[in-house]
Amino acid sequence: MSVWRSLVLALALGAGAVSAATAQAFEFAVAGTGCRAREDAVLLNLPDSSAGWCGGAVAWVQLGPLVLEGGGFRVKQLAQPGGSITRDAGEIRGVVALAPVRWISLEGSYTVRAFSSAMGYQRWQIPGAGVKVAIPLGDSTFLAYVRGHYLFPALQQLYAGQTSGDARYQLGLSGESGLIVRPGRAPVVLGITYRLERFDFPELAAGRLEHFEVISAFAGLRLGRFARPAGPRTRAP
């Protein structure tokens, strides 16, 4: 089964679960992000590293056990420490999650990441699937989470002229952790996240190894949150 078919199936199952629920929470939030991105690569035993500040946005909607999350960012200058080579970079990422039990979600993700410089253009298309575990700290104001994804091997468009050329990584893994804050009844949301990805290319791709990491902080608004009542509401005495 292809990744896209898996995502469609997850959406269908989630929609059925939501329609069957008689009392579920709804939440929609949108936030701006500030972040720091870093890429490390080893090709032919030669290390290469670059980093830069970035900005973007993230949004999510929760319909009972179903959560749809999307976001992206742009790095204006991903530069090598002490070097003169800079690149523009950007990413768009979507996640579909379904929680069969409280605080545990099964997820599917798809990421498109691109780099552009004087060397050329590089594009990554990264499908993945995994699990997210969310734990409330004390009460619902603070929520800590961790997620791990297996990144399915996919053909990547690397810089033209590189020894590796266009290549398919052999192993891809992603780990992420974060803290989300919803202070009291205020319609705001704050948070900080850290994500690390690892890609191992086979020997035919010159033994290339890549790490990509991004740490981000976000602040925004919860535009709506309510619970659908299971039956007629009664006024408390």
Side-chain angles (χ1 to χ4, degrees), residues 32-55:
T33 62
C35 52
R36 176 80 172 175
R38 178 184 177 93
E39 183 192 35
D40 295 302
V42 178
L43 178 62
L44 297 176
N45 295 322
L46 298 176
D48 181 27
S49 178
S50 57
W53 295 99
C54 49

Side-chain angles (χ1 to χ4, degrees), residues 18-39:
V18 172
S19 61
T22 57
Q24 294 289 350
F26 169 84
E27 179 177 276
F28 174 61
V30 60
T33 62
C35 52
R36 176 80 172 175
R38 178 184 177 93
E39 183 192 35

Side-chain angles (χ1 to χ4, degrees), residues 2 17 27 40 43-45 52 65 79 85 93 103-104 107 110 115 123 132 137 146 155 157 166 170 182 189 205 234:
S2 68
E27 179 177 276
D40 295 302
L43 178 62
L44 297 176
N45 295 322
I85 299 178
R93 183 186 185 212
W103 311 124
I104 299 179
E107 299 186 325
Y110 197 85
F115 303 90
R123 185 180 70 250
K132 176 181 177 181
L137 302 178
V146 293
L155 188 66
Q157 179 185 342
D166 288 358
Q170 193 173 46
R182 299 178 175 93
V189 60
T234 59

Side-chain angles (χ1 to χ4, degrees), residues 87-196:
R87 296 180 293 168
D88 293 335
E91 176 184 290
I92 297 176
R93 183 186 185 212
V95 179
V96 178
L98 182 64
V101 296
R102 196 176 186 185
W103 311 124
I104 299 179
S105 302
L106 304 179
E107 299 186 325
S109 64
Y110 197 85
T111 303
V112 177
R113 186 180 303 133
F115 303 90
S116 179
S117 70
M119 296 175 59
Y121 179 77
Q122 179 181 174
R123 185 180 70 250
W124 293 68
Q125 300 181 74
I126 311 167
V131 177
K132 176 181 177 181
V133 178
I135 303 174
L137 302 178
D139 55 30
S140 60
T141 300
F142 298 92
L143 185 70
Y145 74 86
V146 293
R147 65 162 38 122
H149 281 200
Y150 172 75
L151 307 178
F152 298 97
L155 188 66
Q156 308 304 322
Q157 179 185 342
L158 305 182
Y159 293 131
Q162 283 190 355
T163 306
S164 54
D166 288 358
R168 189 184 304 272
Y169 54 82
Q170 193 173 46
L171 175 65
L173 298 173
S174 174
E176 182 178 333
S177 61
L179 176 66
I180 299 175
V181 183
R182 299 178 175 93
R185 296 184 177 181
V188 301
V189 60
L190 310 169
I192 184 169
T193 66
Y194 173 76
R195 172 162 47 103
L196 175 64

